[in-house]
Amino acid sequence: MANASAGRTAHPHLLLIVGIGGLPATDALRTALRVTPRVSVLYVTAWSDPAPLREQWEREAAGHGGVFLAATDLDDAVTAGLALHEKNPVAGVVTYSEVLLQPQARLAEALGLPGNSVAAVSVAQSKAAQREAFARHGVPAPRFAIVRDRRELAAAAGTIGLPAVFKPSLGAGSKNVRRVHTQEDLVEAYEQSHSSRSAFLQLDEAYLLEEPMPVEGHDGSRYADYVSVETLLFESEADHLAVTDRLRLRHGYVEEGLVLPSRLSPETVEELTHCAEQAIRAVGLTHGAVHTEIALTPEGPKVIEVNARAGGPIPKMLLAAAEYDFAADIARVALGVRPSAAPAFTGVAWFRFVPVPDGDWRVVSQRTAGEARQVFPELRQVSLRFAPGREASRNNTQHLASFTVAAETADDAAGVAADVERFLAITLEPLGVRGGAEAVGR
């Protein structure tokens, strides 16, 4: 027994927080186990049932010194993590979820483990606090006004002018981000966002009104005029892994897709990574993954936002285009272990979001993910959000499907992605109207 115990404790003990967003929980657990066999899971149950992941953990991770814990909310997660550390000391805390960054930071700070400070994560999760930090540190960003009350809307519009972009300070995935053209549009956007239910359990009553930037892209181009910079921080040292291009926006600010590596020149990439580093320092981040979105404006790059985690599809895209395990390196950094070498690209990863059209719809029919994989060997991932018969509305989710294609060139990847979208043959009908089916696809 003594030898078995010694074998378990030789591995660092990693606490993985899951329950919503980021890498799927099953993938997050397998990633953590690639880094160390001693993984405890802390599952926040406010959004979903932990039973399926518990079964996976019992199959793949039990017996190596970790435990499986469930917590009801973010505060309970911190309490459970501290209690775990008292009995079974933790060497690192990791999450891949935007919503769960606060308990990760609170635990790392309380236990003296590698990680960002609670203050820095709070700034990263508040677009209003980010804008104020950028202004103090001279980071190029759009002009903005902060709105904390309905009565401040007119003054904000007078300061910024209309049209403008309205967005909640706390949010992810471009939810409730709208271009407003009139005072009536602005009031409507405020009321809709103010009454909208957020996945975040914490609250932020602030909203932003910002100068519009021409990020959508132009006819004849497949790309939008904004990018993201993917960064990994280790002990305040920044490794800018890649710049990711974005596909042209055709449905307002709903994301359409991402492409790695960037088609931009080395000089432009260097300018963008410098801009990202300025923003990261202004926010105060020192550890882990960072995803910085930057607009390509006629005046030069302007920071849209900094996120203290990996962009949703980025880990799988880096695997597809460079065989680089970004998710595993995020876990290593959480344990205080220096990450592996930066990615070397051998191909192109093309991630496509299929947006929900405006309106309320019922999914009539579509091919399955399994059928698509059989036809397209280039597919690395495919996710269909709705089964036939289910209702889909952009008020609830922005996308019908997503998939990742790997190819040698961007042109090849674009062609395969268009073929995959047509093959999926997602057909919708408006709610309340039978026989008005509409095919989605290019």
Side-chain angles (χ1 to χ4, degrees):
M1 291 294 291
N3 288 341
S5 176
R8 285 200 302 268
T9 57
H11 298 288
H13 183 194
L14 179 63
L15 177 60
L16 170 66
I17 308 178
V18 295
I20 182 174
L23 278 183
T26 55
D27 292 344
L29 176 56
R30 291 193 178 105
T31 296
L33 290 171
R34 289 198 296 273
V35 175
T36 176
R38 195 174 172 210
V39 176
S40 288
V41 170
L42 179 51
Y43 197 110
V44 182
T45 62
W47 302 274
S48 57
D49 181 3
L53 190 70
R54 185 189 296 271
E55 293 173 4
Q56 179 189 347
W57 182 88
E58 289 174 348
R59 291 192 309 270
E60 300 177 12
H64 294 282
V67 297
F68 192 101
L69 302 170
T72 57
D73 57 28
L74 305 187
D75 289 337
D76 191 32
V78 175
T79 301
L82 293 173
L84 170 65
H85 184 76
E86 285 291 318
K87 299 176 183 177
N88 191 352
V90 172
V93 185
V94 69
T95 189
Y96 299 95
S97 165
E98 173 76 31
V99 182
L100 303 177
L101 288 172
Q102 279 290 337
Q104 178 199 23
R106 289 168 63 186
L107 283 168
E109 191 169 277
L111 301 175
L113 298 174
N116 292 307
S117 69
V118 173
V121 169
S122 296
V123 174
Q125 290 194 316
S126 167
K127 294 179 178 65
Q130 279 192 36
R131 287 286 177 259
E132 292 175 323
F134 295 163
R136 288 194 302 272
H137 291 85
V139 177
R143 292 184 301 108
F144 70 96
I146 298 175
V147 175
R148 291 188 170 87
D149 187 273
R150 190 180 190 277
R151 292 168 293 185
E152 298 175 352
L153 292 172
T159 300
I160 302 303
L162 295 173
V165 176
F166 179 84
K167 62 178 67 171
S169 177
L170 180 68
S174 300
K175 185 174 175 59
N176 290 323
V177 177
R178 286 180 55 178
R179 183 183 285 255
V180 292
H181 296 269
T182 66
Q183 188 69 29
E184 291 74 21
D185 288 347
L186 178 56
V187 171
E188 180 186 339
Y190 175 86
E191 296 294 350
Q192 179 183 353
S193 187
H194 193 65
S195 63
S196 178
R197 184 175 181 273
S198 169
F200 290 82
L201 296 183
Q202 66 266 40
L203 297 175
D204 186 341
E205 293 296 332
Y207 301 86
L208 288 177
L209 191 68
E210 297 181 346
E211 66 168 311
M213 296 185 292
V215 298
E216 293 90 342
H218 304 282
D219 290 343
S221 172
R222 63 170 61 124
Y223 299 107
D225 289 326
Y226 78 106
V227 299
S228 58
V229 178
E230 322 309 337
T231 303
L232 187 59
L233 299 171
F234 180 74
E235 297 179 347
S236 296
E237 182 182 319
D239 189 357
H240 302 295
L241 305 172
V243 171
T244 306
D245 293 335
R246 299 304 181 105
L247 296 182
R248 187 154 70 90
L249 303 182
R250 303 165 189 265
H251 298 77
Y253 290 109
V254 177
E255 288 189 272
E256 301 260 353
L258 306 88
V259 185
L260 271 174
S262 175
R263 91 284 188 190
L264 298 171
S265 70
E267 293 78 17
T268 301
V269 166
E270 183 176 356
E271 184 181 16
L272 291 166
T273 55
H274 174 71
C275 186
E277 188 148 352
Q278 283 182 283
I280 290 166
R281 301 308 174 199
V283 171
L285 299 173
T286 59
H287 235 83
V290 189
H291 176 75
T292 306
E293 296 183 2
I294 301 177
L296 307 171
T297 79
E299 297 81 32
K302 293 186 180 182
V303 177
I304 300 171
E305 64 183 38
V306 173
N307 302 278
R309 41 81 182 167
I314 297 298
K316 289 186 178 180
M317 292 179 70
L318 284 169
L319 272 177
E323 296 184 358
Y324 170 66
D325 197 340
F326 188 24
D329 262 357
I330 294 168
R332 291 187 186 96
V333 165
L335 289 167
V337 177
R338 185 169 291 278
S340 57
F345 288 96
T346 57
V348 171
W350 185 287
F351 181 90
R352 169 67 175 149
F353 281 122
V354 182
V356 177
D358 279 330
D360 300 310
W361 306 88
R362 180 179 294 104
V363 178
V364 177
S365 62
Q366 63 190 7
R367 290 197 172 99
T368 68
E371 289 173 321
R373 289 192 194 96
Q374 286 183 340
V375 174
F376 298 98
E378 301 93 339
L379 269 176
R380 295 294 180 268
Q381 164 272 333
V382 58
S383 173
L384 300 173
R385 305 287 175 88
F386 301 95
R390 294 284 304 278
E391 296 178 2
S393 168
R394 205 182 292 171
N395 291 329
N396 299 319
T397 187
Q398 296 182 324
H399 302 111
L400 295 165
S402 65
F403 57 85
T404 305
V405 165
E408 290 188 3
T409 69
D411 287 342
D412 291 342
V416 174
D419 291 343
V420 169
E421 192 166 339
R422 283 190 290 268
F423 178 84
L424 289 173
I426 302 173
T427 304
L428 309 175
E429 65 179 9
L431 288 185
V433 179
R434 293 289 181 180
E438 176 178 316
V440 176
R442 299 180 178 226

